[in-house]
Amino acid sequence: MKNKKYKTLKLLIIFILIVIAALFSVNHIKKLIAENKTNDIKTNMLIIQGKIKLLKGQSEVNNNEENYVGTKVSNLDNQQIKQLMQNLKIEESKYENYYILNKENFDQMEISAEIKNIENHVYIVNYNEAEVIYTKGIIINNETKYKLSDIMAKEPEKEWILYNRIGD
């Protein structure tokens, strides 16, 4: 009788350990998938930034802004976009410099092959400042970030000061 109790207890403990290991594995896989999505969005934003820098340079050479692709935020009547711009502390007078880009615009810019998962994603760009904004935002360190400059910002390096000892 005791052997059956111990066998049952051993099986129960092994089952619990397997369930715990499975839960940790699933949680780890979810984190990796979320991290990959975040990295894809960062990469997309960097590709877009490179292309808008190229278009900005072409427009400076040609002395016109006809190369700029997208719809100006100032010409749009989308309250969600305007609310996002206000939340990012972008003044309404500067909306003229921001353009909304979607899949069709990426096709026109000939970068849709390099960009991953762009079906329902909308980006806002400022050609003059080479700023890219992802309208859905990504979570980094429990904080939602929209601008590429905020996402790529690194912590400032600590400044070390050396003191000389007097009297040595």
Side-chain angles (χ1 to χ4, degrees):
M1 192 75 162
K2 287 184 179 181
N3 284 341
K4 284 187 177 182
K5 276 187 177 178
Y6 289 123
K7 268 188 175 177
T8 307
L9 184 61
K10 286 180 183 177
L11 287 174
L12 182 64
I13 290 172
I14 291 171
F15 177 74
I16 290 172
L17 291 175
I18 290 172
V19 168
I20 290 172
L23 289 174
F24 280 116
S25 297
V26 167
N27 192 23
H28 182 69
I29 290 170
K30 282 183 181 179
K31 284 181 183 179
L32 287 176
I33 290 171
E35 188 176 306
N36 282 340
K37 285 181 182 179
T38 300
N39 287 337
D40 284 347
I41 292 170
K42 284 182 196 178
T43 303
N44 290 348
M45 293 174 84
L46 288 168
I47 291 169
I48 294 167
Q49 184 184 48
K51 187 63 176 186
I52 65 172
K53 284 181 178 181
L54 183 67
L55 292 174
K56 168 85 169 127
Q58 289 173 350
S59 70
E60 286 177 353
V61 169
N62 297 335
N63 230 2
N64 63 24
E65 294 182 359
E66 291 177 16
N67 292 346
Y68 291 173
V69 178
T71 307
K72 286 187 177 186
V73 172
S74 60
N75 296 343
L76 207 67
D77 192 32
N78 186 329
Q79 293 304 318
Q80 287 178 321
I81 298 290
K82 291 188 178 182
Q83 183 65 41
L84 173 65
M85 300 287 277
Q86 288 175 351
N87 290 346
L88 294 174
K89 296 180 175 60
I90 299 172
E91 298 173 14
E92 195 168 338
S93 61
K94 295 183 179 181
Y95 287 2
E96 188 74 22
N97 297 325
Y98 287 87
Y99 292 77
I100 297 175
L101 301 178
N102 55 27
K103 185 176 181 341
E104 293 82 29
N105 300 124
F106 300 134
D107 290 338
Q108 186 179 355
M109 296 166 82
E110 299 176 351
I111 59 172
S112 58
E114 290 92 15
I115 298 179
K116 297 179 182 177
N117 304 324
I118 58 168
E119 297 305 319
N120 296 321
H121 298 277
V122 176
Y123 295 87
I124 302 171
V125 298
N126 182 329
Y127 287 92
N128 296 327
E129 298 174 9
E131 182 65 81
V132 181
I133 300 170
Y134 177 57
T135 57
K136 293 182 180 179
I138 58 175
I139 298 174
I140 298 176
N141 297 332
N142 296 326
E143 189 177 338
T144 304
K145 299 192 179 203
Y146 298 92
K147 292 181 174 184
L148 180 61
S149 59
D150 293 342
I151 293 168
M152 301 305 287
K154 295 180 181 177
E155 290 184 22
E157 290 186 27
K158 294 181 180 174
E159 190 174 314
W160 293 94
I161 301 173
L162 298 175
Y163 295 98
N164 291 331
R165 292 178 60 174
I166 300 173
D168 282 341

